[in-house]
Amino acid sequence: MTRRDVGDWMAGFLPAVAAVHLRERLRAGIGALCGIGLTGGLMLWLLGPATYIPWLVAPMGASAVLLFGVPASPLAQPWSILGGNLVAAVVGVTCAMFIPSPVIAAAAAVGVSIALMFTLRCVHPPSGAVALTAVLGGPSVHALGYGFVLEPIALQTIMLLGSAIAYHAITGHRYPHAVRAQAPAKPVNAQAIPVTTADAEKALARRSELLDISADDLASLLRDTQREAYARRARELTAADVMGPPLAKVQAHDEAPAAWRLLQRHGLDVLPVVDGDARVIGLVTRHDLHARRARAQRWPRFATSFGSSQRPAIRDLMQGELKSATAGMPLSELVPLLAAQRHGTLPVLDDAARLVGVVTHAEVLRKVMSA
């Protein structure tokens, strides 16, 4: 490991730049002040100063950081804090009652709580502290038994959550950040524009609240999303979606100069060859025509005319081993067939082997990358 590698590793310990405006920082701090103050004040008013029930438990401070500082985080949503705290409290009390060793009980309480929170989709990091408090909170907490779940945990959680909902509503924040059912939006054509970390940093800086994601992770997520969108698009497309119309075709008995003129007129590299019943029996390419000319050495200037009296028929030049697609063939099966064609063209046939379209590399790329 070089000195530069060590320096890069040490740089990872530095704090990331918080893309949050001063106004938002003040709003988060004032919100936490109000939330904790209201929760503690209500508990003191309800229970009285002489109560043996803690009127504020330490995990509520950690919850306040998420509820007021990072309200857009999935870890700060109502079910996360309510479900996570209640699950952790039940598990913590149970471990404290049935596991004699405080260390083992504490470890089991946190571990089991995390597993259950993931299962119930209510992961809330401060809930780990709730589980520890139930185990290590001392005789006053142990004396509450399962009452610890209701008072103080459930009661304080509801008070803090209620104050957060009210505060965000008053200050114009959207909270909770619930998933809203919306009509499918029109896809955005990104045209494979690369997303950089600098782009992500600017986008995060324009947000009015802190998102629990770094600029690097956001840029990586957007790039992965773009790749997934292209993959989904490829799974949905069929040959009928990406094929173009057959601009020209020749019959097997046509002469080579006729094929050359069609290639020149339409700017093509490949022509399908059909028989008398319009069924595709092969392909003829520019390369085939040039190769024939090089061997025979009896055609005039190839770019202008085929002046020789002995003009070969298309059936003598065409490629008979034909690979083709059907209109309903998915793109996942179409691409390997197309890649095997050195001329980059694949005819699309109907059930009677008649030509209905042509697929090219350029058309596939255009369709996959378009909205």
Side-chain angles (χ1 to χ4, degrees):
M1 181 178 291
T2 65
R3 181 179 300 177
R4 181 174 181 179
D5 293 333
V6 174
D8 292 340
W9 180 75
M10 292 293 293
F13 288 85
L14 297 176
V17 178
V20 182
H21 298 294
L22 176 61
R23 183 182 62 182
E24 185 61 28
R25 300 176 195 179
L26 291 175
R27 176 159 55 181
I30 295 172
L33 184 151
C34 295
I36 292 296
L38 182 62
T39 302
L42 287 175
M43 287 293 295
L44 188 60
W45 176 71
L46 288 174
L47 302 177
T51 179
Y52 58 91
I53 298 175
W55 51 272
L56 265 181
V57 291
M60 294 301 145
S63 294
V65 174
L66 289 175
L67 288 175
F68 296 98
V70 199
S73 171
L75 308 177
Q77 302 315 300
W79 172 239
S80 296
I81 179 174
L82 188 59
N85 282 353
L86 293 181
V87 165
V90 172
V91 172
V93 171
T94 303
C95 291
M97 293 174 63
F98 295 100
I99 301 178
S101 170
V103 174
I104 297 177
V110 175
V112 174
S113 295
I114 291 174
L116 288 177
M117 284 190 287
F118 272 114
T119 303
L120 299 174
R121 296 189 299 176
C122 57
V123 177
H124 186 63
S127 298
V130 171
L132 281 180
T133 302
V135 175
L136 305 177
S140 61
V141 171
H142 295 163
L144 295 173
Y146 285 105
F148 176 77
V149 178
L150 298 178
E151 293 177 341
I153 297 303
L155 194 56
Q156 292 184 20
T157 298
I158 292 172
M159 289 179 178
L160 186 62
L161 177 59
S163 64
I165 293 174
Y167 182 79
H168 286 302
I170 293 171
T171 57
H173 258 192
R174 182 169 71 90
Y175 182 84
H177 282 250
V179 178
R180 297 176 177 175
Q182 297 179 345
K186 183 179 179 181
V188 177
N189 182 6
Q191 293 293 333
I193 298 175
V195 177
T196 66
T197 301
D199 297 331
E201 288 176 348
K202 292 179 180 178
L204 288 172
R206 286 194 294 268
R207 301 290 298 187
S208 63
E209 59 190 1
L210 178 64
L211 296 183
D212 191 17
I213 187 171
S214 69
D216 285 338
D217 289 340
L218 178 58
S220 177
L221 177 62
L222 291 175
R223 288 191 290 267
D224 289 343
T225 302
Q226 194 174 61
R227 283 192 289 267
E228 285 298 321
Y230 290 149
R232 172 187 52 78
R233 182 73 171 160
R235 290 192 298 269
E236 295 172 349
L237 293 175
T238 64
D241 298 317
V242 299
M243 71 183 184
L247 298 178
K249 56 182 179 290
V250 292
Q251 294 191 337
H253 57 74
D254 288 341
E255 296 180 341
W260 178 255
R261 287 192 294 270
L262 284 174
L263 290 173
Q264 293 289 83
R265 184 185 310 158
H266 297 286
L268 302 174
D269 292 319
V270 180
L271 285 174
V273 182
V274 299
D275 61 11
D277 296 324
R279 293 175 300 189
V280 178
I281 58 176
L283 298 172
V284 64
T285 69
R286 286 179 181 267
H287 176 79
D288 297 329
L289 298 176
H290 279 297
R292 176 73 181 193
R293 177 199 180 202
R295 288 195 304 268
Q297 291 294 317
R298 14 175 219 264
W299 298 352
R301 297 183 66 83
F302 202 74
T304 57
S305 68
F306 284 82
S308 172
S309 60
Q310 296 182 353
R311 296 175 177 178
I314 297 300
R315 69 170 60 90
D316 301 323
L317 304 177
M318 71 179 189
Q319 301 176 14
E321 295 183 3
L322 179 67
K323 288 185 173 62
S324 62
T326 60
M329 180 177 290
L331 195 60
S332 57
E333 298 178 17
L334 184 68
V335 168
L337 284 177
L338 185 61
Q341 308 301 305
R342 58 182 175 83
H343 43 72
T345 303
L346 194 67
V348 182
L349 312 181
D350 62 13
D351 294 337
R354 289 187 291 266
L355 186 68
V356 295
V358 175
V359 174
T360 63
H361 286 137
E363 191 65 16
V364 168
L365 287 175
R366 188 182 71 82
K367 289 288 186 178
V368 169
M369 298 179 67
S370 64

